[in-house]
């Protein structure tokens, strides 16, 4: 497809002085296009170092937390593909993925997003999804600290998968989308050590980690974080006419923190 797209109907005589230069330039250009079209198995750390919204395990383990903070509009997805010099062709299986998943406290920041293919074998976003679900399970069952999980997956999700799940073909099969999670799933001591070592030199900056608070059981917010975030990913300040009737799923100390979390202001 790339050859058809970039081939130009130019004919130069065999002894033309520009023929060699034109052909060399054409193939270099074509080679760059092919290289850019190669789906990355790991994100470029200079473009996607990872970014976290919270390091509070009790918050990410709330039912519905990921849905409450998810906010990656189409324009942002296009921006991520452009950042990587990629173009999604019709019918291709891609997604703009969170390097540190939302269920592990990742943010919707550009620093935490990258285009990941679903058609590369054996490593693809379907496989990474299993790792994310397994790590979330381990964090929420007290087997692993949230920060260790964040650092390991940000450093190298493939090595993290090998440590936790093993073989990409069937490792962590119980954590496939739609599967019933196992009643018990434990990390070996060796796996814990590998994850800890993997993330030792990786520390995604949690710019707003301490600025996200858990909502009270009645849907209200604590005094130190009075701004309410709703299930619709809209935030309400105390002066908002809808504030009192809004059931908060997350609370923020200021509007900047709410926007960073992917919430939009109430109108």
């Amino acid at each position: 497809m790339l050859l058809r797209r970039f081939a130009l109907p130019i004919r130069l005589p065999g002894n033309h002085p520009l023929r060699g230069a034109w052909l060399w330039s054409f193939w270099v250009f074509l080679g760059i296009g092919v290289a850019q079209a190669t789906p990355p198995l790991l994100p470029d750390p200079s473009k996607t170092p990872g970014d976290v919204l919270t390091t509070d395990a009790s918050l990410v383990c709330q039912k519905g937390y990921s849905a409450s903070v998810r906010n990656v509009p189409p324009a942002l997805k296009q921006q991520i593909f452009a950042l990587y010099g990629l173009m999604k062709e019709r019918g291709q299986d891609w997604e703009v993925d969170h390097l540190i998943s939302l269920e592990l406290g990742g943010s919707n920041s550009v620093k935490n997003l990258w285009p990941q293919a679903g058609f590369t074998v054996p490593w693809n976003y379907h496989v990474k999804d299993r790792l994310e679900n397994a790590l979330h399970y381990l964090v929420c069952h007290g087997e692993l600290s949230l920060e260790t999980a964040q650092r390991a997956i940000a450093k190298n999700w493939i090595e993290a998968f090998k440590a936790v799940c093993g073989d990409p073909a069937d490792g962590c099969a119980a954590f496939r989308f739609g599967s019933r999670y196992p009643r018990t799933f434990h990390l070996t001591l060796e796996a814990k050590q590998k994850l800890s070592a993997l993330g030792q030199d990786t520390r995604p900056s949690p710019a707003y980690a301490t600025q996200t608070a858990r909502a009270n059981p009645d849907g209200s917010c604590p005094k130190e974080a009075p701004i309410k975030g709703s299930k619709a990913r809209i935030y309400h300040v105390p002066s908002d006419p809808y504030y009192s009737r809004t059931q908060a799923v997350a609370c923020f100390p200021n509007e900047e923190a709410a926007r960073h979390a992917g919430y939009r202001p109430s109108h």
Side-chain angles (χ1 to χ4, degrees):
M1 180 174 292
L2 283 171
L3 183 59
R4 290 198 302 268
R5 177 173 295 175
F6 294 115
L8 300 175
I10 297 176
R11 298 289 186 270
L12 293 174
N15 60 351
H16 195 286
L18 295 179
R19 180 179 175 85
W22 181 86
L23 288 175
W24 179 85
S25 300
F26 170 77
W27 287 112
V28 168
F29 176 75
L30 182 59
I32 291 173
V34 171
Q36 289 177 334
T38 302
L41 300 182
L42 293 169
D44 181 341
S46 68
K47 297 182 176 70
T48 315
D51 183 61
V52 300
L53 177 61
T54 183
T55 53
D56 185 350
S58 66
L59 186 63
V60 302
C61 292
Q62 287 185 44
K63 185 177 180 179
Y65 168 78
S66 295
S68 72
V69 298
R70 185 179 302 277
N71 185 22
V72 184
L76 180 54
K77 293 180 180 180
Q78 293 174 6
Q79 179 183 342
I80 298 302
F81 271 95
L83 180 65
Y84 274 79
L86 294 166
M87 180 181 296
K88 182 179 180 181
E89 300 289 349
R90 184 182 297 275
Q92 284 186 335
D93 184 17
W94 288 88
E95 77 169 18
V96 171
D97 195 16
H98 294 79
L99 176 56
I100 303 172
S101 63
L102 296 178
E103 63 185 328
L104 292 175
S107 78
N108 294 299
S109 164
V110 172
K111 296 188 296 182
N112 195 46
L113 297 172
W114 65 296
Q116 189 175 20
F119 52 85
T120 48
V121 178
W123 304 107
N124 52 60
Y125 77 75
H126 302 290
V127 177
K128 183 171 178 285
D129 284 348
R130 280 183 265 149
L131 172 65
E132 295 168 355
N133 294 336
L135 289 176
H136 182 261
Y137 176 96
L138 292 167
V139 167
C140 296
H141 284 77
E143 293 248 348
L144 187 68
S145 76
L146 179 57
E147 289 187 77
T148 297
Q150 290 173 341
R151 294 177 191 177
I153 200 170
K155 178 66 175 181
N156 190 312
W157 76 266
I158 292 177
E159 292 303 316
F161 187 98
K162 292 176 182 177
V164 175
C165 306
D167 183 73
D170 55 12
C172 290
F175 292 99
R176 285 192 172 96
F177 179 77
S179 298
R180 184 185 295 275
Y181 288 0
R183 292 187 177 182
T184 57
F185 181 74
H186 301 288
L187 273 181
T188 65
L189 178 59
E190 181 183 10
K192 289 181 181 180
Q193 291 173 340
K194 286 182 178 179
L195 289 176
S196 180
L198 186 61
Q200 278 185 348
D201 61 344
T202 304
R203 186 183 294 271
S205 177
Y208 291 90
T210 59
Q211 298 194 44
T212 307
R214 187 172 184 173
N216 296 321
D218 63 356
S220 63
C221 285
K223 291 182 179 180
E224 64 273 14
I227 296 179
K228 293 181 176 181
S230 72
K231 287 183 178 180
R233 297 192 297 278
I234 296 172
Y235 70 81
H236 300 265
V237 298
S239 60
D240 189 316
Y242 299 100
Y243 184 83
S244 61
R245 70 181 73 174
T246 298
Q247 295 290 307
V249 295
C251 301
F252 307 96
N254 53 58
E255 293 187 63
E256 186 179 7
R259 288 193 295 270
H260 183 88
Y263 287 75
R264 62 186 189 276
S266 168
H267 297 296

